[in-house]
Amino acid sequence: MFIRWRMAGLAFFFAAAIPSTAQVAPQPKSSVQVAARPKGRMEIEEPAGFVDYVVDGNLTLSLDDTIRLALANNTDIRIDHSQIETARDSLQRALAPFDPTAGSSFNTFRQLSPQYTQLGGAPTLSSLTQTTQVGVVQTLETGTNYQVTFNSSKNSTNSSYDFFSPAYVTALSFTFTQPLLRGFGLFVNRAPIIIAQRGLAQSRANFEAEVNDLLLQVVTDYWNVIQARDNLTVQKESLDEAQKSYDRDKHSLELGALPPLDIYRSESQVASRRVSVIQAEYALKQSEDVLRRDLGADIDPNIRALDLDLTEKPAPSGELMTIDIPTAIDKALNYRPEIESTRQQLATDDANIRVAHNGLLPNLSLSGTYQTNGLNEVITNGAVSAGSFGTAMNQMFGFGYPGYGFALSLSYPFRNHQAQANMGDALAAKRRDLYFERQLHQAITLNTTNAVHQLEESKLSMEAAKVALDLAQKTLQAEQHKYELGAETVFFVLEAQTELTQAEQTLLQAQVGYQLATAAVDHATGGLLVRLRVQITNLSH
């Protein structure tokens, strides 16, 4: 019976704690759910997905394919994502003060005492005391702290003065403490949770901004490879033209139609352009290595050994992008993730100020206690006899022997330097972040303006480069015709070839510059992820 009643008491108090847990820990949104963490050694994910893009021994990639692989494998993105996990852990940590705690204890003590007086009730007093305690304590989001405690003791003795032995004494007590000034209110006590939620939202915005920056870099590196590749093609064509001129001059020299000293000009052009080809080849290798690093394709030796085959063309297709500066700035200030991050930080500052202001208040609290007691006594016709442990429990839950009381306590510091310093820090942080917000607006405005100017310049440069290329082609044809007629020397042909190569490079640079300019405008206005069809949907894992 004794064991059964104690187990029943334990079940009662653990059950009492369950509704309170549901009250203080509201179900978070999906974005703040904490996934189970793997135990033991953690393995990082290896880059994957490249096999799907291997065609004829080459890694064949469009811009969309490159973005997809970068999002899946880029090391920087994985590192940046860790801030989400840290912020999610901070939110879970903020719920800790409202976790209920159940505790229990049991102790036993036996004692034999020699007696020097008859008041002990026996020549040698033998006593056994066994005490059990079970309790639940919790702080609610209102600041209320409650404790429910059950105490049970068994006292056995051979003293003739005790009415009965063993004696079971039980007590059930309810105690609460409620702050009335400092620490009062739902907001003050939930402030750490609110701040942690703001921190999670801010880390999400920061992560989106970092992905936005990284994808712009990936796009830039992609077009850099295309520019280096096409530039190599231009340099090879230039070398071929110089080689053809040299072969013609060499044949003319053998026929005696060319002075011996004139052959050196053609030969030097071949050597000079061969140097340009070598430089272009290694510039392409370097730009490809950078892109491989973006994709994580440099980790696996088998993937690293594959040649890159990028399918995008530098010449833009369709209608060219057009946007004015006011519209671009308005979009940037509404959609850039950095703006959302700043908003969350300012909201956190407001919460800190409210908490700091509450800390300046006096500490006034109300507490109350109610207790009911029980004893295993049985009174029959005025005679007292021993009952069971159940008798003590029934008497306790009969509430016939209550105890209760209330207390009001006030602590008023005449000077509270710490609270005043906390308030000063909170106000200074808000002021600093307001200036940071203004600085961010200025930076975004300048960045957006420069991006629009870069877009306008690239469009004008493309048109001018097309005209220059057309004129260079016509000039080369005219110079070659004059040379074939003997009206001019090979110098003018070689010069026209050099000008044509420069014109082709200029057009290529202008076309790639336009592609980069459109990406820069999308990045500056917060629309790059949308244009690349990238969506950050779930950060809970």
Side-chain angles (χ1 to χ4, degrees), residues 314-323 455-456 458-463 466 510-511 514-515 518:
S317 59
E319 186 176 353
L320 300 182
M321 175 186 284
T322 301
I323 188 171
L455 177 65
E456 295 171 349
S458 65
K459 292 192 293 184
L460 295 175
S461 297
M462 275 196 304
E463 296 301 320
K466 291 177 182 178
Q511 290 172 338
Y514 171 78
Q515 300 289 357
T518 56

Side-chain angles (χ1 to χ4, degrees), residues 80 150 158 202 220 228 279 301 332 334 336 385 413 418 427 432 442 462 470 478 498 535-536:
D80 293 338
F150 169 74
N158 62 348
Q202 185 177 11
T220 301
Q279 293 174 342
N334 281 281
R336 283 283 288 266
S385 61
Q418 181 174 350
L427 293 174
R432 181 192 64 241
Q442 291 175 301
M462 275 196 304
D470 182 63
T498 301
Q535 188 175 12
I536 302 175

Side-chain angles (χ1 to χ4, degrees), residues 158-185:
N158 62 348
S159 175
S160 60
Y161 290 107
D162 288 356
F163 288 119
F164 49 83
S165 180
Y168 295 101
V169 180
T170 59
L172 180 64
S173 62
F174 304 87
T175 303
F176 78 91
T177 302
Q178 174 62 55
L180 300 180
L181 291 176
R182 187 192 306 172
F184 174 78

